[in-house]
Amino acid sequence: MNKRYYTLNEHFRGFFGEKVIKVSLDAGLSCPNRDGTISDGGCIFCSEKGSGDFAGQRGLSIREQFNQVRERTLKKWPKAKYIAYFQSFSATYGPEDYLENLYQEALALEDVVGISVSTRPDCLNEAILDVLEDLNKQTYLWVELGVQSVHNKTLDWLNRGHDFDCFLEGVNKLRQRNIQVCTHIIMGLPCETREEMFRTAQVISQIPIQGIKIHSLHILRGTPLADLYSQGSLQLLSMEQYIDLVANILEILPPNMIIHRLMGDGPLNDVIAPMWTRRKWEVLNGIDQEMERRGSFQGIHYNAKIPLTW
């Protein structure tokens, strides 16, 4: 690979020895931050599809969704293997028997070599953890935990419905069962300074997780964040600022941390700002070029002895 950071694609190639693609699925679940358990508003950035805008169609069976999404990839990668990715809403927020059957249904599909489950850190009770532990012994597994920021004031602004200690507790529970964890962070939140954004990456770099998704803030039509944006008070990062920030972050992450994603994207017709986030490949190429310009690479400034306070 020619990247200056450890991509998920490179990891898959090394682990499986062939091309592996994630197929996004909708488990038909909700979220405690939407159903009234915590709140009925959800996170202010979350779309009506629970951040699963590219997942299979809700209401179809797992097999039907899988075939629907896989069809989009067959022309480019006709011989690939697949990770069944339960992306929409909180994919551990349901009865353990239902979830176990759902995961097993996906795992039984042809050419599926693993499972990825996206969820919240407050949706990991002991019964669900038992299901995940058994699944981890059976197949290749990731659990993706959204946190977005390490700053509790930001989590309140986002209406996350949990604090950073809850995230740390969730990571600890998963790692005690030897489950790989990928966390999601958002860069470009208008309630944070660039120093606070970078601090999030510094803290995350010191936590025993195995993967990270760095999302560029993008504002989607129909979200509470879009309502705030329409008031004209939000200051957003430019593409150049985002590229510089991500390059700085890559330099301080552990060299072996797997980079699952370096920017977020949404359906083009639903993205209302920043408009540069609609040019995904231009941004990714810009990050590559910046790392090359610096002569830099992931982990060049990683230091496991950074003192942490949060």
Side-chain angles (χ1 to χ4, degrees), residues 210-228:
Q210 292 65 55
I212 190 169
K213 284 186 174 180
I214 304 173
H215 292 270
S216 50
L217 178 70
H218 56 278
I219 301 173
L220 297 177
R221 198 180 313 279
T223 62
L225 189 57
D227 294 337
L228 284 175

Side-chain angles (χ1 to χ4, degrees), residues 14-158:
F15 188 88
F16 294 105
E18 56 190 322
K19 180 67 177 178
V20 175
I21 302 169
K22 293 176 74 173
V23 172
S24 296
L25 305 170
D26 188 323
L29 300 169
S30 184
C31 169
N33 207 22
R34 283 177 174 260
D35 69 2
T37 302
I38 296 173
S39 167
D40 58 7
C43 300
I44 66 172
F45 57 81
C46 194
S47 72
E48 63 178 12
K49 293 186 178 180
S51 295
D53 298 282
F54 301 107
Q57 182 180 335
R58 174 168 284 221
L60 296 180
S61 70
I62 293 301
R63 177 177 292 278
E64 289 171 327
Q65 288 187 49
F66 177 80
N67 289 336
Q68 179 188 64
V69 178
R70 181 180 60 170
E71 186 67 28
R72 306 170 195 162
T73 72
L74 286 176
K75 186 174 181 179
K76 188 172 183 180
W77 296 295
K79 297 181 179 180
K81 303 298 184 183
Y82 302 94
I83 300 293
Y85 177 28
F86 290 94
Q87 181 180 21
S88 303
F89 297 95
S90 299
T92 61
Y93 188 55
E96 59 269 22
D97 290 344
Y98 172 79
L99 293 171
E100 183 173 14
N101 290 336
L102 203 69
Y103 303 151
Q104 292 298 329
E105 182 181 355
L107 193 57
L109 296 172
E110 184 179 1
D111 292 328
V112 168
V113 294
I115 303 286
S116 186
V117 177
S118 184
T119 192
R120 291 167 53 92
D122 54 1
C123 293
L124 294 171
N125 63 42
E126 289 302 310
I128 297 302
L129 287 164
D130 288 343
V131 170
L132 293 172
E133 184 176 23
D134 290 342
L135 189 63
N136 190 49
K137 292 175 181 176
Q138 183 181 357
T139 191
Y140 176 91
L141 175 67
W142 282 98
V143 172
E144 300 190 18
L145 287 186
V147 66
Q148 319 315 341
S149 172
V150 303
H151 306 289
N152 284 333
K153 69 177 182 66
T154 300
L155 300 183
D156 288 342
W157 187 82
L158 292 171

Side-chain angles (χ1 to χ4, degrees), residues 152-265:
N152 284 333
K153 69 177 182 66
T154 300
L155 300 183
D156 288 342
W157 187 82
L158 292 171
N159 195 40
R160 282 292 295 173
H162 66 77
D163 61 13
F164 186 59
D165 282 342
C166 178
F167 169 76
L168 293 174
E169 183 180 354
V171 170
N172 185 52
K173 288 177 179 179
L174 291 165
R175 294 306 298 144
Q176 285 177 347
R177 296 169 186 252
N178 202 35
I179 296 170
Q180 295 186 110
V181 178
C182 173
T183 191
H184 299 203
I185 61 175
I186 297 177
M187 296 292 105
L189 292 167
C191 63
E192 292 188 342
T193 65
R194 295 188 71 195
E195 290 74 21
E196 287 172 324
M197 297 175 204
F198 189 68
R199 184 59 180 165
T200 285
Q202 282 184 308
V203 173
I204 293 298
S205 76
Q206 304 303 300
I207 298 171
I209 60 174
Q210 292 65 55
I212 190 169
K213 284 186 174 180
I214 304 173
H215 292 270
S216 50
L217 178 70
H218 56 278
I219 301 173
L220 297 177
R221 198 180 313 279
T223 62
L225 189 57
D227 294 337
L228 284 175
Y229 179 73
S230 69
Q231 298 170 18
S233 59
L234 301 185
Q235 294 294 317
L236 306 178
L237 291 181
S238 68
M239 184 171 72
E240 292 74 21
Q241 288 172 323
Y242 183 76
I243 288 171
D244 181 69
L245 180 59
V246 170
N248 290 340
I249 290 170
L250 288 172
E251 290 177 343
I252 59 109
L253 293 179
N256 61 346
M257 183 178 284
I258 302 164
I259 310 300
H260 288 231
R261 180 180 282 269
L262 285 182
M263 72 169 293
D265 56 354

